[in-house]
Amino acid sequence: MTSWLHEQRLAAVLGALRDCRARTVLDLGCGDGALLMRLAADPAIERIVGVDLSAEALARLRTDLGRLPGGQGNTVALIHGSLTDLGSDLAGFDAAVLVEVIEHIDPDRLSTVARAVFGDLAPATVIVTTPNSEFNALLGVPTHRFRHPDHRFEWRRAKFRAWAEGVAGRHGYDSAISDIGAHPTLGGPTQMAIFTRRAENGKREVASPPHGL
């Protein structure tokens, strides 16, 4: 079961994917597949690739995909590996999604991951969510701890915005930041960045609608 907070995240990400008309999606750090399973059931999505370092999580996900009706799981490929070691055949997807992933990466490796995602894979849209540390007190998280023991960091909103704007500027994207959920002074428990790749003419790229629309 997913928590109420993760359901909010997933709904926000699915809405962003619909808004950018994505038909091919990379789920980077897909884990047990809470997002990927929803994508597989969406008839507008034509191709999905999930990537994760956990072979155990991918094994569970393969089992779950096999239970989907009507061959819905046939649109999905799963890759066991690192985000920095993906082949060039995954370049140019409509969208790549990193849901609660970057905070599990050592800060000194973030630039390497960003080059791999934004430079090598270069999807038209990249969606990133991560905890907003300013909200932690409302979740009962002590100031000396993170929400999860595997988190390497949790950023305040100003830090996340600065990181997103820096990544966007270095790799030819525009960025837009929003809160998922809201508090009048602390923002939401999760923050989301949507990166849109600039075309050669400087305009933002949007996935083409399916034929016949």
Side-chain angles (χ1 to χ4, degrees):
M1 293 180 63
T2 55
S3 68
W4 65 269
L5 176 52
H6 201 45
E7 288 289 355
Q8 280 192 325
R9 290 187 198 111
L10 296 177
V13 169
L14 290 168
L17 289 171
R18 285 192 294 270
D19 289 346
C20 72
R21 301 195 299 238
R23 291 176 290 162
T24 58
V25 180
L26 292 169
D27 188 354
L28 303 178
C30 62
D32 287 335
L35 174 66
L36 193 145
M37 292 290 289
R38 289 162 172 79
L39 293 173
D42 186 342
I45 305 297
E46 299 171 0
R47 184 186 180 196
I48 308 160
V49 175
V51 180
D52 205 89
L53 278 172
S54 171
E56 293 81 5
L58 293 178
R60 291 191 294 270
L61 179 51
R62 286 190 182 92
T63 299
D64 291 340
L65 287 167
R67 297 191 180 111
L68 289 176
Q72 291 173 342
N74 294 339
T75 61
V76 180
L78 300 179
I79 296 176
H80 176 223
S82 167
L83 304 187
T84 58
D85 296 326
L86 300 177
S88 59
D89 58 326
L90 296 182
F93 270 59
D94 292 338
V97 182
L98 296 93
V99 176
E100 307 298 285
V101 170
I102 63 169
E103 64 273 10
H104 295 270
I105 300 169
D106 289 328
D108 60 1
R109 294 191 61 247
L110 279 178
S111 59
T112 301
V113 172
R115 283 194 298 272
V117 174
F118 293 87
D120 298 338
L121 300 179
T125 300
V126 180
I127 302 169
V128 176
T129 75
T130 194
N132 166 23
S133 64
E134 296 168 66
F135 200 89
N136 282 357
L138 296 183
L139 297 174
V141 180
T143 56
H144 63 283
R145 289 177 51 191
F146 293 143
R147 296 185 195 176
H148 190 281
D150 189 54
H151 286 183
R152 305 307 200 258
F153 60 85
E154 290 175 2
W155 283 338
R156 298 174 67 85
R157 287 174 292 169
K159 173 65 176 177
F160 182 56
R161 180 177 295 276
W163 174 82
E165 291 176 351
V167 167
R170 287 189 293 274
H171 296 282
Y173 283 74
D174 294 316
S175 62
I177 313 297
S178 60
D179 290 317
I180 299 176
H183 182 276
T185 58
L186 301 177
T190 298
Q191 45 195 337
M192 178 169 67
I194 300 175
F195 302 85
T196 306
R197 192 180 65 206
R198 301 188 199 107
E200 291 184 3
N201 60 8
K203 295 182 179 180
R204 301 170 74 183
E205 290 195 9
V206 178
S208 301
H211 296 301
L213 295 184

